[in-house]
């Protein structure tokens, strides 16, 4: 069990026992979502029939270079948000929290946005994305990536595949956090290393034990290897649990000061470069998992120590808050708009304008989803009436509190730790 002193790390004096918020991490989320956006715009084939190119560059050399350079950004974005999900949930978790209340908040965070985008997919893609009930029904309930068939695990809005992993994380978190809290501070780094090793093990199994035929149409490995090594939710638990452990390491005051943000960015650059040299399957997670974990923890430490960063500025925090919606609409926005162009490609200026246009539309649609669906749903359904009344009463009793509405809103933001946009 963690020592009493370790649990006080990250709580500034006079903060009535509540851990500090992490606005810089919220701002950082947007850049991870942006990496996923660039990945989606670089695809040479749409996952939605008739599978026309998404990449808008007419020059074959430029198009190939754009795709190659950005190929790994989608994988980095996925891994970043899976680790971040474990980190923020562990950061805001408290012993004694009711499991049903936790699940209620997480399902409210996840499903309203998903259902809206699911409905848009039904309308926009019609028969192209929908073949049978057996293909779309698993997507509706976010269990589709437990199926190895590509026409199921990438059905409807393809980016929604990652929400299956998030759903598994949320369901298991109340069980996982109990043994993680019992790990002695001195053994946290050992267990973090075990999680990194687990990401290697997943790919070893995928490469050597999973059939390597038939080959995937979009990757150099088989459909089954891509499913097991990238899409299958249990294999992504190592990243999530690593995030949980990193939160405990920071709270225990055991994060090395020499691993700061600049150092972590250097690690990220090295990990990104390594992704072009290791076997393809290791680019999914293994090549960049250590730099991603280091960057998340290092940025969190800046907030814990009260150091203001530009990532914590209000515009960046807003971008981070809408990043879930920004990610989630990318499939129905980029893939659908590109289909209206009938596969046309353009010179460099025209292609850049197309990408910029996609960005603006995705950001606006993501903001609408965040403010029009996600936040109203969280306010209305994330807590029972009794919980809302108790929260307001508790805020009113705090002598050093801000006005009740402001504190209640702050608590809502803290307890609804960000659901993760992914590729």
């Amino acid at each position: 069990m963690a020592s009493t002193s370790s649990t006080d790390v990250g709580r500034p004096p006079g903060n009535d026992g509540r851990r500090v918020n992490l606005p810089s991490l919220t701002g950082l989320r947007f850049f991870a979502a942006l990496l996923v956006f660039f990945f989606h715009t670089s695809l040479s084939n749409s996952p939605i029939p008739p599978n026309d190119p998404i990449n808008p560059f007419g020059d074959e050399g430029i198009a190939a270079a754009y795709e190659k350079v950005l190929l790994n950004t989608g994988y980095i974005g996925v891994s970043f948000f899976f680790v971040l999900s474990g980190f923020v949930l562990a950061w805001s978790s408290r012993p004694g929290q009711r499991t049903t209340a936790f699940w209620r908040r997480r399902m409210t965070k996840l499903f309203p946005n998903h259902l809206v985008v699911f409905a848009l997919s039904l309308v926009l893609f019609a028969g192209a994305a929908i073949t049978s009930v057996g293909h779309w029904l698993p997507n509706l309930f976010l269990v589709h990536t437990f199926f190895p068939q590509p026409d199921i695990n990438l059905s409807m809005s393809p980016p929604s595949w990652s929400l299956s992993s998030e759903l598994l994380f949320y369901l298991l978190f109340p069980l996982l956090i109990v043994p993680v809290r019992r790990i002695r501070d001195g053994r946290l780094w050992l267990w973090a290393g075990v999680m990194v090793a687990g990401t290697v093990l997943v790919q070893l199994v995928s490469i050597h034990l999973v059939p390597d035929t038939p080959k995937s149409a979009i990757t150099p490995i088989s459909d089954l290897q891509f499913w097991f090594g990238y899409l299958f939710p249990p294999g992504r638990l190592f990243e999530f649990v690593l995030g949980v452990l990193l939160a405990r390491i920071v709270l225990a005051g055991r994060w090395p000061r020499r691993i700061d943000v600049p150092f972590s960015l250097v690690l990220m650059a090295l990990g990104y470069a390594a992704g072009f040299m290791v076997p393809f399957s290791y680019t999914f997670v293994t090549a960049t998992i250590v730099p991603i974990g280091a960057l998340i923890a290092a940025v969190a430490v800046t907030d814990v120590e009260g150091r203001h960063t530009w990532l914590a500025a209000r515009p960046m925090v807003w971008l981070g808050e809408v990043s879930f919606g920004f990610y989630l609409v990318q499939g129905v926005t980029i893939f659908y708009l590109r289909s209206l162009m009938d596969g046309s490609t353009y010179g460099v200026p025209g292609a850049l304008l197309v990408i910029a246009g996609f960005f603006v539309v995705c950001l606006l649609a993501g903001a609408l989803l965040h403010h029009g669906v996600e936040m109203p749903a969280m306010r209305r359904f994330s807590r029972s009436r009794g919980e809302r009344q108790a929260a307001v009463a508790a805020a009113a009793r705090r002598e050093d509190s801000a006005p009740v509405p402001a504190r209640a809103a702050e608590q809502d933001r803290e307890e609804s730790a960000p659901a993760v946009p992914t590729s």
Side-chain angles (χ1 to χ4, degrees):
M1 188 70 77
S3 65
T4 302
S5 61
S6 70
T7 61
D8 290 334
V9 176
R11 299 177 183 170
N15 201 35
D16 56 31
R18 297 168 64 231
R19 294 168 189 167
V20 298
N21 292 326
L22 303 173
S24 296
L25 267 187
T26 302
L28 186 63
R29 288 171 57 200
F30 174 72
F31 289 100
L34 189 62
L35 289 178
V36 177
F37 168 82
F38 285 124
F39 166 77
H40 283 148
T41 63
S42 73
L43 296 175
S44 56
N45 292 289
S46 168
I48 299 292
N51 308 112
D52 287 332
I54 301 298
N55 192 317
F57 289 95
D59 185 288
E60 292 185 2
I62 295 176
Y66 183 65
E67 183 176 23
K68 182 175 178 59
V69 168
L70 295 174
L71 174 64
N72 296 343
T73 59
Y75 305 139
I76 291 173
V78 169
S79 199
F80 177 93
F81 284 110
F82 284 171
V83 177
L84 179 65
S85 184
F87 191 100
V88 295
L89 289 179
W91 189 266
S92 60
S93 175
R94 302 293 184 274
Q97 286 183 321
R98 290 192 301 117
T99 298
T100 53
F102 170 82
W103 283 339
R104 177 173 179 149
R105 288 193 296 273
R106 302 322 305 158
M107 297 307 105
T108 304
K109 184 76 173 178
L110 196 63
F111 272 96
N113 279 354
H114 165 63
L115 293 177
V116 169
V117 175
F118 181 92
L120 285 173
S121 298
L122 286 175
V123 173
L124 296 178
F125 296 124
I130 308 156
T131 53
S132 71
V133 173
H135 290 159
W136 62 259
L137 190 61
N139 184 290
L140 178 65
F141 292 102
L142 294 180
V143 296
H144 50 307
T145 50
F146 285 90
F147 295 81
Q149 300 92 330
D151 53 0
I152 297 178
N153 56 48
L154 292 176
S155 63
M156 304 304 291
S157 175
S160 69
W161 74 263
S162 60
L163 302 188
S164 285
S165 293
E166 284 300 319
L167 180 60
L168 179 66
F169 299 162
Y170 297 159
L171 292 175
L172 292 183
F173 178 76
L175 302 177
L176 293 171
I177 192 61
V178 174
V180 170
R181 286 193 183 115
R182 293 174 179 165
I183 298 174
R184 296 198 304 270
D185 290 354
R187 290 184 172 269
L188 289 170
W189 279 105
L190 172 63
W191 281 103
V194 170
M195 295 305 109
V196 173
T199 70
V200 179
L201 178 62
V202 169
Q203 300 311 325
L204 286 173
V205 172
S206 177
I207 292 169
H208 297 290
L209 299 181
V210 176
D212 60 0
T213 56
K215 293 296 184 182
S216 166
I218 57 175
T219 71
I221 58 179
S222 72
D223 283 330
L224 281 176
Q225 287 175 318
F226 182 71
W227 166 72
F228 185 85
Y230 188 62
L231 303 176
F232 190 43
R236 309 309 297 252
L237 277 168
F238 292 107
E239 295 150 271
F240 177 74
V241 178
L242 175 63
V244 174
L245 291 164
L246 289 173
R248 272 223 51 202
I249 288 170
V250 173
L251 287 167
R254 290 177 174 263
W255 186 255
R257 286 188 173 275
R258 62 181 176 276
I259 306 181
D260 56 9
V261 174
F263 185 80
S264 299
L265 290 174
V266 172
L267 288 180
M268 282 295 302
L270 294 174
Y272 187 76
F276 294 99
M277 296 180 282
V278 299
F280 177 74
S281 294
Y282 293 105
T283 64
F284 295 153
V285 181
T286 306
T288 53
I289 186 62
V290 171
I292 287 170
L295 182 60
I296 289 173
V299 170
V301 167
T302 64
D303 285 332
V304 169
E305 296 181 346
R307 287 181 279 144
H308 181 76
T309 70
W310 62 273
L311 288 170
R314 182 170 297 181
M316 290 307 309
V317 171
W318 180 82
L319 287 170
E321 289 173 345
V322 304
S323 61
F324 181 33
F326 173 64
Y327 158 72
L328 203 54
V329 301
Q330 288 179 23
V332 296
T333 301
I334 297 174
F335 300 157
Y336 177 71
L337 291 178
R338 197 70 180 93
S339 71
L340 297 180
M341 299 177 185
D342 197 27
S344 299
T345 55
Y346 309 90
V348 173
L352 292 176
L353 283 174
V354 168
I355 294 169
F358 286 163
F359 171 78
V360 171
V361 174
C362 285
L363 185 61
L364 291 175
L368 285 174
L369 198 62
H370 174 72
H371 293 290
V373 177
E374 180 182 339
M375 293 309 296
M378 289 299 295
R379 286 192 294 266
R380 176 64 181 84
F381 300 111
S382 66
R383 293 180 184 178
S384 67
R385 179 179 299 179
E387 288 174 321
R388 290 195 298 269
Q389 291 174 344
V392 172
R397 288 194 299 268
R398 295 190 183 104
E399 294 180 356
D400 60 339
S401 66
V404 169
R407 289 300 294 267
E410 177 187 342
Q411 189 173 17
D412 280 340
R413 287 194 300 271
E414 181 179 289
E415 292 187 350
S416 60
V420 289
T422 48
S423 163

